[in-house]
Amino acid sequence: MSLKPTIGIETHIELNTNTKMFCRCAVVDTDEPNISLCPTCIGLPGALPVPNKKAIEFITLLALSTGCEITSKGMFHRKNYFYPDLPKNYQISQFDLPVGLNGELEIVIGEDRDFIQIERVHMEEDTGKSSHSGSGRIESATSTALDFNRSGVPLVEIVTKPVISSSKQAVAYIEELRQLSIDLNISEGRLEKGNLRFDANISVAPEDSTELGTKVEIKNMNSLRSLERAIDYEIQRQTKALEDGVEIVQETRHWDENKEVTSTMRSKEGSADYRYFSDPDLPNMFLSDEFIKEVETLMPLLPKAQREELMTTGLSLSQSNILSKSDDWIKKLYVEVFDQTKDSIASYNWITGELQGQMRKANIEVLPEWFNDDYLSEIIELIKSNKISFTSAKIILTEILTTETTPSKVAEQKNLFQENDSEKISEMINQIIKENQDIVDRIKSGEDKLVGFLVGQLMKQSNGSVNPGMAKELLLKELEG
Ligand SMILES: [Zn+2]
């Protein structure tokens, strides 16, 4: 029996607003617990919520950027459940009228594009944080500490349709969504801080089946590595169960990072279990055309459009994708160096390869202030015009990353300019031939690979100042003649 997996992903993105979703408490980034809370965000009786306009603006922006239809009349619902980090016993969320419906997001894997259909984009508020003693899970903990700093922080939840077919696609989707949220300036997109957290719904069914298999939800992952491994593990587990004739149970599972397995958390609740009802403390929310137009003016150049633009310079789709997901200074430097050199591949290779490699090695996080596009452009031009070798160019780069000087000055000081004068090179060749007559004889009797030895001697004697391509060409001519 041939089986196919189907995956849907729900992502919560923490919005980088100054204040929480329904109160004026500051959104804080600290380990000190319970310093930013008030009656509203810890659910004291009688406290009334007031929606954060900036957060609604951010959610609308994400919905528009993924091509969603905007629901102009949205409503706040209460999603009821009990957990220690939710003192209100309900989360304010959106149920049947989310801000955005039916969008899509382009993803890139290698040189291929794909489109992931988005079902909905809606507002949520975060819960507090529980720290369970011992293993980190509530079942085996002897005590739990609660921190409500995060309670009520605005979130946007973005839900895909069940259209993802592999862990690779899932990872590419999260990478794209993360970059989108950074470019929209609605989130810092830092996975290690939990700015994006994702749940994956996974089912496996026979290849020719029109119905999906029983779905299992894996909760609360925040790294691409966990996402990839958890999906792969779950596909394997379900495939084996089906092949062995074991029934899959609809449930929520937990990904154990250390053991690299998923395990049962609870049998999956349906939406009816949450007893959604509209929040009596909040009026209906209408998104006017005027508001939507205002939000549209905030739209930056999206990652997809950035890729299209980069490809017009001559980069491939995967190169453009890598740049579109790089820090702003890298994107900017590429455009500037390309503008000067008109050589997309050299500009791309120097920036994403040697420059970033040397910076990592030397622990340089920010380019020195004197370092600008002129420097790299000059290096690329010096190589292209055969004035310096590639090896010398790397030495020059190391120097200008730490000292305020120019590539030409470094080349001069360190004697790195190549000898391109064919007469001078010929003189040196004649000298080498004289000194290595035995080698020359062996080359003439068929030992071709010894040509490399003579070129090596030439490089040595000239302290590497000879253009090796030119030297080899002239040497061969000399040997033939
Ligand atoms: Zn508050």
Side-chain angles (χ1 to χ4, degrees):
M1 175 170 51
S2 183
L3 297 165
K4 63 163 188 226
T6 304
I7 303 156
I9 297 183
E10 297 171 10
T11 310
H12 286 97
I13 306 176
E14 217 170 68
L15 299 174
N16 62 359
T17 50
N18 294 326
T19 55
K20 293 186 179 179
M21 187 65 223
F22 294 108
C23 62
R24 288 173 176 271
C25 290
V27 174
V28 290
D29 179 11
T30 172
D31 290 331
E32 199 183 333
N34 298 313
I35 57 160
S36 186
L37 40 90
C38 73
T40 302
C41 58
I42 57 169
L44 295 188
L48 287 174
V50 178
N52 180 336
K53 188 182 174 195
K54 196 81 197 164
I56 305 286
E57 193 178 290
F58 282 179
I59 296 163
T60 309
L61 195 56
L62 181 67
L64 285 169
S65 73
T66 47
C68 283
E69 303 150 20
I70 303 295
T71 314
S72 60
K73 182 188 170 194
M75 214 187 271
F76 296 108
H77 274 75
R78 290 187 180 181
K79 180 183 179 182
N80 299 280
Y81 72 96
F82 169 78
Y83 202 74
D85 60 20
L86 186 68
K88 284 201 298 233
N89 285 347
Y90 63 84
Q91 246 177 330
I92 306 175
S93 179
Q94 291 186 291
F95 186 53
D96 51 353
L97 293 167
V99 170
L101 276 169
N102 299 324
E104 72 175 10
L105 190 63
E106 181 186 273
I107 62 166
V108 175
I109 299 175
E111 298 298 340
D112 296 316
R113 290 183 175 86
D114 232 323
F115 291 92
I116 303 297
Q117 275 72 47
I118 305 293
E119 191 171 288
R120 53 188 282 147
V121 173
H122 69 260
M123 173 251 126
E124 277 215 341
E125 57 172 341
D126 215 339
T127 62
K129 228 181 222 170
S130 322
S131 310
H132 309 299
S133 67
S135 71
R137 295 193 62 190
I138 196 165
E139 306 89 280
S140 51
T142 49
S143 64
T144 294
L146 294 168
D147 172 12
F148 295 111
N149 284 342
R150 207 180 64 181
S151 170
V153 166
L155 298 176
V156 56
E157 180 170 344
I158 176 161
V159 182
T160 73
K161 292 188 176 161
V163 291
I164 296 170
S165 58
S166 68
S167 59
K168 221 181 215 165
Q169 262 193 339
V171 167
Y173 166 73
I174 295 294
E175 281 175 339
E176 184 71 16
L177 189 56
R178 174 180 173 270
Q179 191 58 46
L180 181 64
S181 70
I182 293 172
D183 288 347
L184 293 174
N185 201 15
I186 63 171
S187 165
E188 284 172 32
R190 296 180 61 178
L191 299 184
E192 74 282 6
K193 287 206 156 189
N195 288 165
L196 271 80
R197 306 191 290 271
F198 15 92
D199 308 334
N201 286 294
I202 303 160
S203 67
V204 168
E207 190 90 57
D208 52 8
S209 166
T210 50
E211 277 173 37
L212 295 177
T214 306
K215 79 175 177 192
V216 167
E217 183 173 31
I218 306 175
K219 274 277 187 211
N220 245 332
M221 293 168 281
N222 71 346
S223 80
L224 296 174
R225 188 172 171 270
S226 311
L227 179 71
E228 185 173 6
R229 296 195 176 199
I231 288 175
D232 285 341
Y233 175 86
E234 195 52 29
I235 291 172
Q236 265 180 27
R237 186 188 71 86
Q238 293 184 30
T239 303
K240 183 162 188 316
L242 288 181
E243 283 169 354
D244 294 349
V246 178
E247 199 189 337
I248 308 273
V249 184
Q250 180 169 337
E251 61 182 351
T252 301
R253 292 176 76 90
H254 161 81
W255 170 244
D256 188 319
E257 197 78 52
N258 299 318
K259 294 187 194 147
E260 301 212 325
V261 294
T262 61
S263 59
T264 302
M265 263 170 93
R266 53 176 184 260
S267 62
K268 170 74 183 164
E269 53 295 282
S271 68
D273 297 321
Y274 289 118
R275 303 289 189 275
Y276 279 95
F277 64 87
S278 76
D279 193 311
D281 287 341
L282 284 157
N284 279 346
M285 175 177 67
F286 293 94
L287 301 183
S288 66
D289 289 349
E290 204 186 343
F291 174 78
I292 294 168
K293 275 199 188 114
E294 204 182 295
V295 172
E296 271 170 344
T297 64
L298 302 172
M299 192 77 72
L301 194 64
L302 300 177
K304 177 176 186 284
Q306 290 176 32
R307 286 193 287 271
E308 302 300 328
E309 247 186 53
L310 287 164
M311 284 176 79
T312 63
T313 68
L315 292 181
S316 70
L317 179 59
S318 68
Q319 289 168 330
S320 307
N321 187 39
I322 288 171
L323 275 188
S324 76
K325 294 187 169 66
S326 301
D327 291 347
D328 279 345
W329 70 265
I330 296 173
K331 295 181 199 174
K332 185 168 163 269
L333 186 61
Y334 170 79
V335 171
E336 289 167 349
V337 174
F338 172 76
D339 270 350
Q340 289 206 44
T341 62
K342 299 291 172 221
D343 187 333
S344 57
I345 302 302
S347 308
Y348 175 85
N349 285 341
W350 273 95
I351 292 167
T352 60
E354 197 57 30
L355 175 65
Q356 285 184 265
Q358 286 205 18
M359 286 176 73
R360 262 194 303 275
K361 236 185 186 167
N363 264 327
I364 302 172
E365 276 180 27
V366 184
L367 278 180
E369 54 186 27
W370 64 78
F371 194 108
N372 59 34
D373 53 304
D374 293 344
Y375 285 67
L376 274 186
S377 305
E378 193 181 341
I379 288 180
I380 291 170
E381 295 300 347
L382 286 171
I383 297 175
K384 274 173 114 173
S385 55
N386 277 328
K387 292 198 174 109
I388 58 171
S389 70
F390 193 76
T391 314
S392 304
K394 288 185 188 177
I395 298 169
I396 293 171
L397 182 65
T398 310
E399 195 68 20
I400 54 176
L401 272 173
T402 48
T403 316
E404 186 171 2
T405 174
T406 69
S408 301
K409 273 188 199 154
V410 178
E412 215 170 283
Q413 279 161 6
K414 292 191 179 276
N415 220 354
L416 297 171
F417 278 120
Q418 290 188 139
E419 188 57 71
N420 288 311
D421 183 335
S422 58
E423 252 174 59
K424 273 193 189 158
I425 297 177
S426 291
E427 265 171 43
M428 282 188 254
I429 287 173
N430 287 330
Q431 187 63 28
I432 294 280
I433 287 178
K434 237 186 242 168
E435 289 166 10
N436 295 281
Q437 203 52 56
D438 51 330
I439 303 285
V440 173
D441 291 342
R442 283 167 69 187
I443 292 173
K444 285 188 173 161
S445 60
E447 287 187 65
D448 286 350
K449 61 180 179 199
L450 286 173
V451 172
F453 173 80
L454 290 187
V455 174
Q457 291 296 306
L458 192 61
M459 298 306 288
K460 216 170 170 183
Q461 285 204 4
S462 67
N463 284 327
S465 70
V466 167
N467 174 350
M470 209 164 162
K472 190 176 176 189
E473 200 179 302
L474 289 171
L475 178 68
L476 287 174
K477 229 185 238 168
E478 199 65 44
L479 290 173
E480 276 165 20

